[in-house]
Amino acid sequence: MSTAPRILIVKTTSMGDVVHATPVVSDILAHFPQAQIDWLVEAPFAAIPQLHPGVRRVIPMAWRKWRHQLFSGATWKAIGALRAELKRERYDVVLDLQGLLKSALWARQAIGPVVGYDRASAREPLAASLYWRGAAVPKNLQAVQRNRLLAAAHLNYMPPTALPVFGLKAPGQGWKPRDTYAVLIPNASRASKLWPERHWAAVGKRLHDRGWLPLVLWGRPEEQTLAERIAAGCDGDVPPFLSVGDMAGVLADAQQVVGLDTGFTHLAAALGRPTLGIYCDHEPGLAGITGSGRVASIGGKGQVPQRNEVVGLLAQHFGV
């Protein structure tokens, strides 16, 4: 390994998973300060690695879109352009942090040795057959730690023991409310992740009583109506549609964040904000809220937390 290795990170989805991979950049640069790090990621999440000043180049892809239009000439033209972009230069290491067959196949499009998890550690064991070398990383570890251990194994430095450094820098400009505010994130990609609407209004009132404007975030048009109802029930506000980068700027200045197990909640924690994650259909153990600020996770699969439990945790753990 040279003192200035060229490294391509492959971590394409989803937003929370991409956030959880960013400490790998900080780890690599701590051992190889002159490393040149590129990142292959799905286009909707490209703003996340762009927030890390240690990432030289972000290469966006649109596989989620292309897989539904494989018979389109425009799709194959776009795929060809991406393959050409991946072959622009030779990498010393192509590090697949995803561990899926699709991520391994895309990693193989780049020029350089592709490495990842071994068969027993990968999310899809078949992916390991496409790697030049695999490494064993226990599956029962938190996602951030798994990423960090995999990078250490393949780049030949000691497994990290210090707390993860996400290293993300939110943009200083963009839409911001005038008042001091806290953030609620009540929307998620799956209905099974949702928490009852009436509970959100109660949490918002708690934040309002603390002297903070409850700011209810949304991302898709169908989520805006829910956000407006919750805001109306707690004297809160709803921002206009924000890009991922602008959303990061809003999260970075929040006094408190309460959100579901979704990408923006994980991003808030990665930005160092006090963050409480509510889990309704997934155990937080392997993908719990992680960050340098005060964080906590509550709930789990089949364990939808009650309103008084969330409010109590806000008081006991966050002093709200």
Side-chain angles (χ1 to χ4, degrees), residues 32-320:
F32 303 98
Q34 298 178 13
Q36 300 177 53
I37 302 172
D38 296 347
W39 193 309
L40 177 66
V41 63
E42 281 280 351
F45 313 124
I48 302 301
Q50 287 172 346
L51 295 176
H52 199 303
V55 175
R56 179 186 65 163
R57 183 167 62 113
V58 175
I59 306 172
M61 62 183 294
W63 177 248
R64 285 184 167 184
K65 174 184 176 181
W66 296 337
R67 66 185 180 184
H68 299 297
Q69 302 174 7
L70 285 179
F71 296 104
S72 165
T75 294
W76 284 102
K77 183 178 180 180
I79 289 174
L82 176 59
R83 293 184 65 197
E85 182 70 14
L86 288 170
K87 296 180 185 300
R88 266 178 49 181
E89 60 182 282
R90 176 176 293 276
Y91 291 100
D92 295 295
V93 174
V94 180
L95 179 62
D96 181 12
L97 296 176
Q98 199 90 33
L100 299 176
L101 183 58
K102 69 172 183 180
S103 61
L105 287 169
W106 277 109
R108 289 285 295 267
Q109 305 308 304
I111 301 175
V114 181
V115 299
Y117 296 101
D118 69 7
R119 181 173 291 272
S121 308
R123 289 169 59 187
E124 293 180 357
L126 187 58
S129 64
L130 298 175
Y131 300 142
W132 174 68
R133 185 175 67 191
V137 179
K139 283 186 172 182
N140 61 349
L141 297 178
Q142 206 271 350
V144 173
Q145 185 67 355
R146 270 175 56 84
N147 290 326
R148 299 179 75 196
L149 289 179
L150 183 67
H154 286 302
L155 297 175
N156 299 316
Y157 53 80
M158 290 296 294
T161 56
L163 292 175
V165 176
F166 288 85
L168 305 182
K169 305 296 182 184
Q173 298 180 339
W175 184 90
K176 295 284 179 65
R178 295 180 180 178
D179 301 320
T180 303
Y181 61 92
V183 165
L184 299 179
I185 307 175
N187 290 293
S189 57
R190 298 196 307 270
S192 58
K193 285 187 173 186
L194 298 180
W195 198 48
E197 181 178 333
R198 64 185 184 278
H199 294 349
W200 285 110
V203 171
K205 289 178 181 178
R206 178 86 179 204
L207 298 172
H208 186 273
D209 291 343
R210 181 66 170 76
W212 301 328
L213 172 71
L215 190 65
V216 190
L217 301 189
W218 60 281
R220 294 175 295 179
E222 59 268 28
E223 299 172 346
Q224 185 177 7
T225 301
L226 173 62
E228 290 171 345
R229 289 200 305 267
I230 293 171
C234 61
D235 292 324
D237 196 7
V238 177
F241 177 80
L242 300 174
S243 68
V244 173
D246 287 339
M247 197 82 82
V250 169
L251 293 171
D253 288 336
Q255 301 299 309
Q256 174 73 50
V257 177
V258 182
L260 297 176
D261 169 28
T262 189
F264 286 119
T265 307
H266 292 288
L267 178 58
L271 289 167
R273 306 318 304 148
T275 305
L276 171 57
I278 299 173
Y279 289 70
C280 296
D281 79 334
H282 184 73
E283 292 299 328
L286 302 183
I289 303 300
T290 305
S292 58
R294 187 171 295 181
V295 299
S297 304
I298 187 172
K301 192 172 184 63
Q303 302 176 38
V304 178
Q306 298 299 309
R307 178 177 61 187
N308 62 333
E309 294 177 312
V310 172
V311 172
L313 188 56
L314 277 172
Q316 296 166 13
H317 190 69
F318 297 93
V320 176

Side-chain angles (χ1 to χ4, degrees), residues 9-31:
I9 291 176
V10 179
K11 188 73 164 182
T12 60
T13 60
S14 58
M15 182 186 293
D17 292 338
V18 174
V19 170
H20 287 159
T22 54
V24 167
V25 177
S26 301
D27 288 346
I28 293 173
L29 291 174
H31 293 87

